[in-house]
Amino acid sequence: MKILAIETSCDETSASVVEKKDNSIEVLSNITLSSLPIHAKTGGIIPENAAREQVKFIIPVICEALLSSKEIKNKKDKKQILTLSNKILQEEIDAIAVTCGPGLIGSLLVGVETAKTLSFIFNKPIIPVNHLLAHLYANFIDIDQSNLSLRSRSANWRRERNNLDGIATSFDKLRTRNDKLDAGRYPLGAPSFPFIGLIASGGHTDLLYFKSHTNFKWLGGTRDDAAGEAMDKIARIIGLGYPGGPEIEKRAKFGKPDERFVFKSPMIGSDDFDFSFSGLKTQVMRAIQKHLRGGAPTGDDSSNGGIDENSINNICFLVQKAIVDVLIKKTIRAAKLYNVSTIVLGGGVSANETLRRQLSQKTKDKRLKTKIFFPEKKFCTDNAAMVGAYALLAGNSTSWKKIKAQPELYFD
Ligand code: KG4
Ligand code: ZN
């Protein structure tokens, strides 16, 4: 079965053709356009700007995903692109999967309404997908297959796109950033049930216990900011770029413990599976006021106000540690309590090397025979391939009339 998957829940516009062959999920194409440079200028996502970009690019991105899935390259003529895309959609695609929520309403509407239109015109079933669950299903994508070929496809698309116009929209941040195989994940194959799933992204932090694709239980989640959101906000306070997670990770490599910056891991001792990250931002602000600005409030949190490089690196090291420590502690506790030997991570924060390495190390130290799964880095942040993977393994098809964008969608 072959699916066209569409993801537009936040600032990315992504389309992918994903196929299930026996038990493997193969990504035939995955095209992701990010409006990140626009949001980097404002230090965060302005929802209306994100949706406006998505309206512009959803059709070109879908066409490119369809053509790339057949290795059709360098088509310049728009009419030809549309004719070929229609043909592939008509003849080869069995269903259309789309992220219905949670997410930004304007962004979700772009993907959902486009999917509904295609479903109606081409008479294909439509599969609604929960974005959060899809993050975990990035772990079911067959790694061997999705690797090298994507690189050349994305390079072509980038070239063509650059020829189209000069709008400052970056392509393929997923692939250009991290193309190498993640050795830890590679030999493991797909996760097996039961498992504990940790979703850590810019909008959510949740722990779930999965017995099967359809039988799972929510154990806990953040009470305020998500882990990625906390990193984004703290990065802004100390004058780093957006998104903050990768910036903090880069700086943390050069940081070390520093007695001026003692940040407590929020809720690390609590007897539940909940998280809270907004207090960490306050801890950072207070420490900066106290030790670097002599207690005088500046009223300006958008520039680093002259904080020296070493202090920034140390703050990053300690912020990352505070977040990673609590994520790991609660995830391992859940695995022990539910007696499972598989842990599955997903979401943008799961790209974090320290989180990956220390979770693997800590389970080993505790002599737990736990298999840890994290997605290939290019599938950690938002992408349509994970939406296709979920649809193929756990989705239910329905009529386009029953689908709607659900910004507040959760786990029921
Ligand atoms: O899953 P995602 O692409 O979007 C949401 O569904 O929210 O996650 C984006 C988040 C951002 O907050 C970003 O700062 C964070 O993931 N992130 C990271 C890393 N890469 C992205 N956080 C920590 N370390 C990273 N390497
Ligand atoms: Zn996401």
Side-chain angles (χ1 to χ4, degrees):
M1 182 165 177
K2 219 188 254 188
I3 278 189
L4 168 67
I6 299 171
E7 155 64 42
T8 61
S9 66
C10 195
D11 61 320
E12 264 93 14
T13 309
S14 185
S16 175
V17 176
V18 187
E19 185 171 24
K20 185 163 183 266
K21 277 191 191 155
D22 302 321
N23 280 328
S24 100
I25 300 293
E26 296 189 1
V27 177
L28 304 183
S29 66
N30 182 48
I31 303 298
T32 303
L33 173 64
S34 169
S35 49
L36 201 74
I38 291 171
H39 309 304
K41 282 185 205 150
T42 49
I45 293 166
I46 296 187
E48 190 185 322
N49 293 349
R52 281 179 191 277
E53 289 300 293
Q54 285 161 323
V55 168
K56 269 190 248 167
F57 294 114
I58 185 77
I59 296 298
V61 165
I62 288 174
C63 290
E64 183 58 29
L66 289 165
L67 298 192
S68 293
S69 74
K70 301 287 293 173
E71 309 255 9
I72 301 171
K73 289 174 190 163
N74 297 328
K75 287 272 168 276
K76 294 265 185 299
D77 179 75
K78 277 190 186 147
K79 207 167 151 200
Q80 205 183 11
I81 290 173
L82 279 177
T83 311
L84 277 168
S85 301
N86 283 350
K87 190 170 151 56
I88 297 167
L89 194 43
Q90 186 70 63
E91 292 174 5
E92 306 213 10
I93 300 295
D94 300 300
I96 296 164
V98 64
T99 297
C100 284
L104 304 171
I105 181 66
S107 296
L108 287 169
L109 278 170
V110 176
V112 168
E113 294 306 315
T114 305
K116 280 163 73 173
T117 309
L118 295 178
S119 163
F120 173 70
I121 294 173
F122 291 93
N123 195 24
K124 306 280 176 187
I126 192 163
I127 305 174
V129 174
N130 178 320
H131 178 81
L132 300 177
L133 297 177
H135 267 305
L136 293 178
Y137 276 72
N139 289 282
F140 288 87
I141 293 170
D142 186 61
I143 289 192
D144 212 1
Q145 204 284 328
S146 69
N147 220 352
L148 292 171
S149 52
L150 275 178
R151 219 177 298 174
S152 52
R153 286 174 201 157
S154 67
N156 275 325
W157 173 224
R158 199 161 40 240
R159 262 202 305 279
E160 282 188 24
R161 164 70 179 71
N162 286 342
N163 290 340
L164 285 177
D165 53 54
I167 296 168
T169 309
S170 86
F171 264 82
D172 251 345
K173 67 180 174 106
L174 302 178
R175 274 176 293 280
T176 47
R177 244 199 259 139
N178 283 298
D179 261 330
K180 62 178 192 291
L181 273 178
D182 298 313
R185 157 98 161 84
Y186 182 60
L188 294 173
S192 54
F193 295 98
F195 64 74
I196 293 294
L198 170 68
I199 302 158
S201 71
H204 295 84
T205 308
D206 292 290
L207 266 172
L208 297 106
Y209 167 51
F210 275 79
K211 282 188 180 168
S212 70
H213 288 302
T214 49
N215 185 351
F216 59 86
K217 180 177 154 188
W218 180 79
L219 303 179
T222 185
R223 295 181 180 180
D224 40 55
D225 288 355
E229 186 179 5
M231 293 216 198
D232 295 340
K233 288 179 177 171
I234 291 168
R236 189 169 152 80
I237 292 170
I238 55 179
L240 301 180
Y242 178 86
E247 296 293 318
I248 287 183
E249 175 167 34
K250 258 187 253 157
R251 294 297 203 114
K253 291 194 176 118
F254 304 101
K256 56 180 192 313
D258 182 330
E259 61 189 16
R260 295 172 301 164
F261 310 120
V262 181
F263 305 137
K264 282 195 220 126
S265 269
M267 296 187 73
I268 197 157
S270 73
D271 209 10
D272 51 31
F273 296 111
D274 285 348
F275 302 92
S276 163
F277 294 107
S278 69
L280 197 53
K281 184 185 63 194
T282 317
Q283 289 187 54
V284 172
M285 271 162 40
R286 288 215 179 109
I288 291 174
Q289 293 281 321
K290 187 168 170 199
H291 297 290
L292 302 171
R293 290 185 180 144
T298 63
D300 173 15
D301 71 351
S302 64
S303 82
N304 69 11
I307 305 176
D308 64 284
E309 295 293 310
N310 275 345
S311 297
I312 291 181
N313 293 346
N314 293 352
I315 290 171
C316 288
F317 173 82
L318 292 160
V319 162
Q320 178 175 273
K321 178 169 165 32
I323 291 176
V324 164
D325 283 356
V326 66
L327 291 175
I328 290 178
K329 177 139 190 228
K330 297 218 169 177
T331 304
I332 292 182
R333 250 192 70 218
K336 277 188 183 161
L337 188 72
Y338 287 87
N339 197 21
V340 305
S341 53
T342 302
I343 291 172
V344 178
L345 305 190
V349 181
S350 68
N352 187 281
E353 288 287 348
T354 304
L355 173 63
R356 291 169 174 236
R357 199 179 49 249
Q358 290 192 357
L359 181 58
S360 306
Q361 192 54 50
K362 291 231 163 94
T363 49
K364 266 188 211 138
D365 292 349
K366 289 179 188 292
R367 296 186 194 287
L368 302 170
K369 289 212 165 65
T370 316
K371 284 184 180 174
I372 315 283
F373 288 82
F374 24 75
E376 271 190 272
K377 286 204 178 169
K378 63 186 172 222
F379 296 131
C380 284
T381 42
D382 293 349
N383 65 89
M386 68 186 194
V387 174
Y390 178 87
L392 284 165
L393 291 167
N396 286 316
S397 62
T398 179
S399 147
W400 64 268
K401 291 178 197 154
K402 296 196 175 148
I403 303 277
K404 62 174 198 270
Q406 294 169 271
E408 306 295 335
L409 182 68
Y410 214 37
F411 292 113
D412 29 57

